[in-house]
Amino acid sequence: MKFLRGFLVVTLGLVLILSYLPQPVAAGTVAPSIVRIGLFFVNNSHSGATALNISSPAGIQLGQRTGSDFTLLESIPANQTVKVDINNGSLRVTNAQGVATQIPGSTFVARPTDPSQWINVAEKATGYRGLLEITMVGTQLKLINEVNVEDYLYGVVPKEMSDSWPLEALKAQAVAARTYVAANLGTYGAYGFDLTDDQYSQAYGGVKAEGPNSRLAVDETKGEILLYNGAPIAAVYSSNSGGYTENSENVWNTAIPYLRGVPDPYSLGQGSSMDSWQVNFSQNQLQDWINNVLLQNGQNQIGSLLNISILNRGVSGRVDDVEINGTLGSTEVKNDLVRYYLGNLSSNLFNMITNVGLFGLGQSGQTQTISASNPYVVRGDGSVTPLAGTPVLQGANGIVTATSAATTSYTFDGKGWGHGVGMSQWGAYGMAKAGFDYKGILAHYYQGAQLNQ
């Protein structure tokens, strides 16, 4: 793993924690039929488009809607690309011949002439079923895909799980993804749509992502969602549990009865590169990372890193509480934030080793580095003090400060990838390989939840 792969990753991670659990929206016991997906829009983490180039193998109808009524403005032939941009404060559509048309108002829709087809968006490098709604917002374009939920899932399931995986695993993913839609419908209502197409909701790759096995998984579970006490559950999932899933309250502070930690041997030994992992940071690397995270979140920095103490672990063994001490103060970090504060680790399921290099004298009289893990000093009164900072040794020529050779580094030995709550995708793979059907997979990871049909 590269250290400092971009501070944006950390800040995104902090925001993502809030989006895993369903927002308080009205939800029924059946899956919604239509979902609106924000493809381009403006907020703190997204940008609008300056121009859109669209085409369709079936041709495109451009028009405006009033309720269920559609007023045709222009027809675009099959496989011809038109450019949509803003000119002099108005929407403009320019065809392949360079002829431009001003579109009245601030919004119009584009739909394929054949409803079974799709519209390609060059700026997204994929196509979208349903219709596209294009809105002028200041000097940028907002793009929304309004699509049937089952068609939407065609583009979600293979983005979240490989299309080549066992069908029962893909079916479990389809139900979890459909349940996510039902529980989170309207989350982005202030922006005019329900969900985004990225990690802030669910990855959605449109037509280009679709595969035959994923489509079959969606079709064979059509309309199915998971319920608990008559409401759609928070069907959260992550890549690899590392062998044991975690209680929700140890990751997001909220205890949810169907998100209990369970043994998950099915996640391991299936070919995932994240069954186990190890990363090493120097003291300077890790303290710079931690101070940057604190700064970005308006917290006091710790200065030079002195030590990190693991205070508590969850039922799976995941670290859910650490204290970080520095020369300027200390901070306590809990739950899923731990992995972000400690260098954007792949999961919280890890053991930490503090390595301190000491300066000493070898048999030849030459200086050498002695490596010690979690060193401490035993004082005359029997008290034990962790060794931190710059150590010194008493040599023949007096006290020698071991500045150049005294180096502290941190090794994290971990398992799994992701928050570890709910379904493990690699675990679903392993369970399907072991002969479980999708209902058995879902029952294992979402304790007590029931299918709506």
Side-chain angles (χ1 to χ4, degrees):
M1 163 184 163
K2 285 186 177 179
F3 190 79
L4 295 181
R5 61 176 73 164
F7 187 75
L8 178 61
V9 175
V10 172
T11 53
L12 287 180
L14 304 183
V15 174
L16 277 175
I17 291 168
L18 301 177
S19 67
Y20 283 127
L21 300 180
Q23 305 302 308
V25 295
T29 59
V30 297
S33 58
I34 298 294
V35 64
R36 288 166 59 85
I37 309 299
L39 304 178
F40 284 110
F41 61 99
V42 180
N43 70 359
N44 291 335
S45 53
H46 298 84
S47 298
T50 56
L52 297 168
N53 289 274
I54 60 176
S55 63
S56 173
I60 301 173
Q61 294 179 337
L62 305 181
Q64 291 179 319
R65 289 189 304 176
T66 303
S68 60
D69 295 330
F70 178 84
T71 302
L72 180 66
L73 298 176
E74 185 173 351
S75 293
I76 309 300
N79 297 312
Q80 288 198 20
T81 299
V82 295
K83 177 182 178 181
V84 182
D85 62 3
I86 299 172
N87 177 253
N88 293 327
S90 298
L91 290 167
R92 177 176 64 179
V93 175
T94 305
N95 65 20
Q97 291 73 43
V99 178
T101 302
Q102 297 295 125
I103 302 293
S106 61
T107 299
F108 72 96
V109 296
R111 65 186 189 185
T113 302
D114 179 352
S116 68
Q117 297 297 309
W118 56 85
I119 296 177
N120 295 308
V121 179
E123 288 70 21
K124 284 289 189 177
T126 189
Y128 297 97
R129 300 181 186 275
L131 61 81
L132 298 177
E133 181 180 281
I134 301 171
T135 303
M136 177 176 60
V137 181
T139 60
Q140 297 191 42
L141 298 172
K142 178 170 66 175
L143 180 63
I144 297 171
N145 178 206
E146 184 175 295
V147 60
N148 178 276
V149 165
E150 305 301 314
D151 289 344
Y152 161 72
L153 293 175
Y154 287 161
V156 170
V157 173
K159 289 289 288 186
E160 294 287 354
M161 186 177 284
S162 172
D163 189 70
S164 65
W165 280 18
L167 180 61
E168 295 305 310
L170 291 167
K171 289 163 73 172
Q173 180 66 66
V175 174
R178 188 183 292 109
T179 305
Y180 183 92
V181 177
N184 289 277
L185 201 70
T187 296
Y188 286 83
Y191 295 93
F193 52 87
D194 299 306
L195 305 171
T196 67
D197 67 340
D198 54 20
Q199 71 271 27
Y200 289 90
S201 297
Q202 297 184 119
Y204 170 47
V207 173
K208 186 177 180 180
E210 293 181 12
N213 294 324
S214 299
R215 284 195 293 267
L216 182 60
V218 172
D219 291 344
E220 292 194 357
T221 62
K222 184 176 181 179
E224 292 185 5
I225 60 174
L226 287 163
L227 304 175
Y228 190 87
N229 287 341
I233 72 167
V236 294
Y237 48 87
S238 61
S239 177
N240 186 332
S241 75
Y244 207 115
T245 68
E246 186 54 77
N247 289 348
S248 60
E249 65 269 23
N250 294 330
V251 178
W252 300 307
N253 287 323
T254 303
I256 299 177
Y258 51 82
L259 294 179
R260 300 294 86 197
V262 295
D264 187 28
Y266 311 101
S267 284
L268 303 177
Q270 306 301 333
S272 169
S273 61
M274 303 306 291
D275 278 3
S276 63
W277 47 265
Q278 184 182 89
V279 291
N280 298 279
F281 303 134
S282 72
Q283 177 176 330
N284 287 338
Q285 284 178 317
L286 195 53
Q287 74 188 22
D288 289 348
W289 180 275
I290 293 168
N291 282 320
N292 280 334
V293 174
L294 292 167
L295 179 64
Q296 291 294 319
N297 288 280
Q299 297 172 274
N300 293 328
Q301 296 182 312
I302 61 164
S304 297
L305 178 60
L306 295 178
N307 57 67
I308 300 168
S309 301
I310 295 174
L311 303 180
N312 193 44
R313 292 179 181 269
V315 295
S316 68
R318 283 173 170 77
V319 176
D320 66 6
D321 195 358
V322 299
E323 183 177 73
I324 304 171
N325 295 296
T327 55
L328 298 181
S330 64
T331 187
E332 186 174 355
V333 183
K334 295 184 177 183
N335 307 127
D336 204 45
L337 288 173
V338 168
R339 59 187 174 120
Y340 293 105
Y341 272 72
L342 297 185
N344 200 21
L345 303 176
S346 296
S347 81
N348 276 9
L349 187 54
F350 63 80
N351 291 315
M352 181 186 71
I353 301 172
T354 305
N355 310 294
V356 177
L358 301 179
F359 177 88
L361 294 177
Q363 291 182 349
S364 64
Q366 300 298 313
T367 61
Q368 65 180 28
T369 300
I370 306 168
S371 180
S373 298
N374 301 310
Y376 57 88
V377 174
V378 180
R379 302 184 183 278
D381 61 1
S383 63
V384 177
T385 303
L387 182 60
T390 302
V392 296
L393 295 177
Q394 177 72 48
N397 297 323
I399 294 177
V400 177
T401 301
T403 302
S404 60
T407 58
T408 300
S409 65
Y410 297 85
T411 299
F412 296 91
D413 284 311
K415 294 181 179 180
W417 187 10
H419 51 74
V421 181
M423 186 175 72
S424 167
Q425 291 168 315
W426 276 101
Y429 175 96
M431 291 187 73
K433 285 286 191 180
F436 288 87
D437 65 10
Y438 77 101
K439 294 180 180 179
I441 295 170
L442 295 170
H444 177 68
Y445 291 112
Y446 304 111
Q447 298 283 302
Q450 302 291 325
L451 287 170
N452 63 331
Q453 51 185 269

